[in-house]
Amino acid sequence: MATKKVLMLHGYAQNATIFSKRLGALRKACGKDVDFVFVDAPHVLTPADLAEAFRSTNESSSLDDLGAPEATTEADPALAPRGWWNVDAARTKTVGLEDSIMLLRDYLIKDTYEGIFGFSQGAAMAALMAALLEKPEVFPPLLVDGKAPHPPFKFCIAAAGFRPKSPLCDSIFLPSYSTPTLHILGRTDVIVVEERSKTLVDVCSNKRVEWHDGGHFVPSKANWRNFLKAYLKDPTGDVPSPSTASASQPASGTATPVTPAL
């Protein structure tokens, strides 16, 4: 079987290195069947950015509490906390989103990807790119010789996703998008609560929703690894739900981080 390339978009205050480590068990399970291409968001977050993002919540703005303790605002660029856009405290703006679209455009021009997989803010970005490739004319800078730089994705995986709000995002998402999308949601997620995740699910016309019993993370237990491996192999196939095999097992989020969904 030919190796599938999948774009991987990290959560807010993470980066490609951290997200890749968090999904190490899934990468190992998929072996050479999937080439996970982890991308660094273009915006390096400062302490002021983090403080502003959390000003209207009860969440701490320390990187430790964000579940990205490896991240540092100091010298090592490989560990810098990053974001796909910055927000104001009211979460009514997506400052810098256009830069992220253009960064991903460069990846899409150079290679072909079967799908896109994101966590938290990265899940919102993944769904946005999936929707944008369906109607690229709404953001003309994306176009190459008047056309989309890449065919629509065959699938999108959005773990702890939500629909960002801005005029550009509304023009991309509304009234709906049709890329097959797997929404992975945590029953005890207090960062992206059910009401907020529903804003993305509602604009997806070709959706599959799977719940896990934990919080704000990509589930990594064996049943989920096996499910995701099977889903990545055949996104539109009849892959059994992972939750049926583990309904009585305690949730485990140790392998994945808690980050703000901004």
Side-chain angles (χ1 to χ4, degrees), residues 107-121:
Y107 279 82
L108 297 174
I109 288 172
K110 295 172 184 175
D111 216 332
T112 301
Y113 296 88
E114 295 268 331
I116 192 167
F117 183 148
F119 167 65
S120 195
Q121 192 191 58

Side-chain angles (χ1 to χ4, degrees), residues 2 13 33 78 84 146 155 159 175 201 209 212 243 261:
D33 292 339
W84 299 101
F155 66 88
V201 174
V209 180
H212 63 91
S243 57

Side-chain angles (χ1 to χ4, degrees), residues 134-220:
E134 295 178 17
K135 48 179 179 180
E137 67 280 356
V138 303
F139 186 64
L142 179 76
L143 302 176
V144 178
D145 297 328
K147 299 178 181 179
H150 190 283
F153 293 122
K154 294 181 180 178
F155 66 88
C156 172
I157 300 176
F162 57 93
R163 179 163 72 89
K165 298 294 181 67
S166 74
L168 175 59
C169 293
D170 289 347
S171 70
I172 294 170
F173 277 123
L174 299 178
S176 65
Y177 75 102
S178 59
T179 300
T181 301
L182 169 64
H183 302 268
I184 300 174
L185 308 176
R187 297 186 188 281
T188 60
D189 192 336
V190 296
I191 303 294
V192 179
V193 296
E194 180 177 356
E195 180 181 4
R196 194 165 181 223
S197 60
K198 193 171 182 292
T199 61
L200 179 59
V201 174
D202 285 348
V203 297
C204 178
S205 63
N206 191 352
K207 65 194 125 196
R208 176 172 183 172
V209 180
E210 293 289 348
W211 291 86
H212 63 91
D213 291 332
H216 191 65
F217 56 82
V218 179
S220 60

